Amino acid sequence: MANLIIIGSQWGDEGKGKIVDLFTAHFDIIARYQGGHNAGHTVIINGRKYILHLVPSGILHPDKLCVIGNGMVIDPSALKTEIEELREGGIDCKDRLFISNRAHLILDYHRLVEKGDEDRRGDARIGTTNRGIGPAYEDKMGRRGLRVCDLFNPETLKSRLQDNVRLKQALVPSIAESLDVDAIYDKALKLGRELSGYVVDVADFMNRNLDEGKSVLFEGAQGTMLDVDHGTYPFVTASCATAGGACTGTGVGPTRIDGVVGISKAYTTRVGEGPFPTELHDETGNLIREQGQEYGASTGRPRRCGWFDAVVVNYSRRINSLDSLVITKLDVLDVLDEIKICTGYRYKGDLLKTVPADIQVLEQCRPEYLTVKGWKQKTDAIQDFNDLPVIARDYLKRLSDLVDTEISIISTGPDRVQTIVASRDSRLSSWIKL
Ligand code: GDP
Ligand code: IMO
Ligand code: MG
């Protein structure tokens, strides 16, 4: 039984939810390890759409166990709503969802602090999802955060809340009056009681299950370029969205994990601010947005669209030690006359083949493109790789060569059935028989 990590190879929204759903049948446990309800993972089953934010996408399979790891930040109110909405949709989380007692909490003041911070940044704002993610991780690293286990210790909860609220009031005077410690405390205690049945020591849970031979699929959120260490800092999220985060975010050591699968669109999108070298500001960008329905699953914001960037996905291969790549949304390119692939960045006469650390340099990089013909044929109902138009197969071969990684699966539509296994002889197929 293999243990695999799925990560986003670009700026998020690569279709991780669909692919996690597809892989789930082959695993016992599906674990999220970082981020929070900034994520929006879409899964479509029998025409019904589910958007998961905090709960792993595996919850839609009734026989699977799901984990919210210690590396995540949890807004207990958002989690309660998500669990209730799933229940209304016929999905019961009881005895199947396990929440880490060490995960940090997002409380109401985090969102207010974030709004204040974004307003203060003005034109340099990050364009966050305004879910309180960044401020909650700031408190974690500042060693003043409140964790799930604190919900069950009223005295600690109260005194730490008082300290934190005083600090936020000093930091952002404009929100001072709207913060009522007693109200935050009462709400947190109540939510703690409601969620208590789900709370466990996740590292212990995971390692015991692994010892018993159970297999785990680690479901990454966001994407490599939004990782706080490796992404386009400061235009990133506040967590470790790369493969390494799976270990720290669940308490499972690296030697227990067998492989890493990257998910990438056949083009690129980004939501929020920050550099995006292959972004299209023209009709082609608008066409991709409409064809791909590129609107945020969490915030509804239009996603910025551009060409596939092999520099980015190559970088992602290295940072994550990708074994295999899944290419999604190939169908979106069906209508294009020609398609471009970025093969390098031109910066002041130099040709860069990797992502520079300094975003001011990245902002001045001009993509070098390779242009190929479009296949101008519908691909969304194709089941067999060899039935794809030759030009589409060539396009995929080029992507695979440029990023030096096998492409094991191609997705040509949001539904489970709109999936093509590119090779039965891939590294991926040595772990799961698709
Ligand atoms: P995630 O955050 O990585 O899980 O991705 P999102 O769910 O935010 O965004 C991906 C969107 O593309 C969702 O609306 C999916 O239903 C949709 N999708 C996934 N794969 C495909 C595909 O191959 N083709 C098309 N047209 N849509 C897809
Ligand atoms: P999934 O898991 C795409 C982006 C935000 C913003 C930046 C920081 O669905 O792929 P944050 O609220 O996290 O502090 O915002 O990160 N962002 C995402 N973009 N997909 C996501 O998640 C994202 N989660 C955060 O738009 O630019
Ligand atoms: Mg998403």
Side-chain angles (χ1 to χ4, degrees), residues 123-188:
D123 286 347
R125 69 187 180 282
I126 310 290
T128 68
T129 58
N130 197 26
R131 301 287 199 268
I133 306 291
Y137 278 114
E138 276 179 50
D139 278 356
K140 171 177 175 172
M141 294 308 181
R143 292 157 297 179
R144 70 182 83 88
L146 283 153
R147 300 187 297 171
V148 169
C149 58
D150 299 322
L151 293 172
F152 312 113
N153 186 338
E155 276 173 29
T156 312
L157 182 67
K158 184 112 192 201
S159 70
R160 299 267 293 288
L161 264 178
Q162 282 167 338
D163 278 354
N164 276 307
V165 167
R166 264 197 297 272
L167 185 73
K168 309 303 173 203
Q169 285 169 326
L171 209 65
V172 194
S174 60
I175 63 170
E177 274 196 20
S178 58
L179 297 182
D180 175 348
V181 181
D182 290 334
I184 300 172
Y185 172 76
D186 289 343
K187 187 175 162 190

Side-chain angles (χ1 to χ4, degrees), residues 79 90 117 146 161 202 228 288 332 358 390 402 430:
L79 179 56
D117 197 38
L146 283 153
L161 264 178
V202 156
V228 68
I288 292 176
V332 173
D358 184 339
V390 177
L402 282 164
S430 69

Side-chain angles (χ1 to χ4, degrees), residues 9-246:
S9 308
Q10 299 165 315
W11 276 280
D13 301 328
E14 296 90 348
K16 298 177 291 294
K18 168 179 168 167
I19 304 304
V20 168
D21 172 63
L22 201 67
F23 285 16
T24 291
H26 305 270
F27 296 84
D28 300 303
I29 298 170
I30 295 75
R32 278 275 310 270
Y33 56 87
Q34 44 70 234
H37 65 313
N38 48 350
H41 295 180
T42 315
V43 181
I44 296 179
I45 302 175
N46 299 329
R48 180 165 182 170
K49 189 188 222 180
Y50 298 87
I51 300 180
L52 285 310
H53 299 286
L54 276 162
V55 178
S57 305
I59 202 76
L60 304 176
H61 295 240
D63 54 335
K64 304 298 171 183
L65 304 184
C66 289
V67 164
I68 291 184
N70 55 278
M72 291 185 69
V73 282
I74 302 173
D75 179 333
S77 184
L79 179 56
K80 182 181 167 228
T81 305
E82 191 165 335
I83 291 172
E84 281 172 1
E85 282 174 3
L86 282 166
R87 191 183 303 130
E88 281 158 20
I91 312 285
D92 196 355
C93 294
K94 196 166 173 295
D95 300 327
R96 296 211 291 127
L97 179 65
F98 300 86
I99 303 169
S100 171
N101 51 7
R102 288 183 171 83
H104 278 250
L105 296 172
I106 301 180
L107 297 163
D108 290 344
Y109 50 80
H110 288 122
R111 241 186 348 267
L112 297 172
V113 169
E114 178 168 3
K115 181 162 184 323
D117 197 38
E118 284 283 86
D119 290 348
R120 185 189 55 77
R121 287 173 191 262
D123 286 347
R125 69 187 180 282
I126 310 290
T128 68
T129 58
N130 197 26
R131 301 287 199 268
I133 306 291
Y137 278 114
E138 276 179 50
D139 278 356
K140 171 177 175 172
M141 294 308 181
R143 292 157 297 179
R144 70 182 83 88
L146 283 153
R147 300 187 297 171
V148 169
C149 58
D150 299 322
L151 293 172
F152 312 113
N153 186 338
E155 276 173 29
T156 312
L157 182 67
K158 184 112 192 201
S159 70
R160 299 267 293 288
L161 264 178
Q162 282 167 338
D163 278 354
N164 276 307
V165 167
R166 264 197 297 272
L167 185 73
K168 309 303 173 203
Q169 285 169 326
L171 209 65
V172 194
S174 60
I175 63 170
E177 274 196 20
S178 58
L179 297 182
D180 175 348
V181 181
D182 290 334
I184 300 172
Y185 172 76
D186 289 343
K187 187 175 162 190
L189 269 191
K190 183 164 178 286
L191 285 163
R193 277 194 299 274
E194 286 165 348
L195 294 172
S196 61
Y198 298 102
V199 177
V200 297
D201 181 323
V202 156
D204 181 60
F205 174 88
M206 296 285 278
N207 284 291
R208 264 190 300 108
N209 275 284
L210 287 166
D211 290 345
E212 286 168 14
K214 300 279 175 22
S215 61
V216 181
L217 180 63
F218 295 88
E219 174 178 355
Q222 288 79 54
T224 302
M225 302 310 288
L226 289 171
D227 181 278
V228 68
D229 280 276
H230 301 287
T232 45
Y233 191 91
F235 295 97
V236 292
T237 190
S239 69
C240 298
T242 43

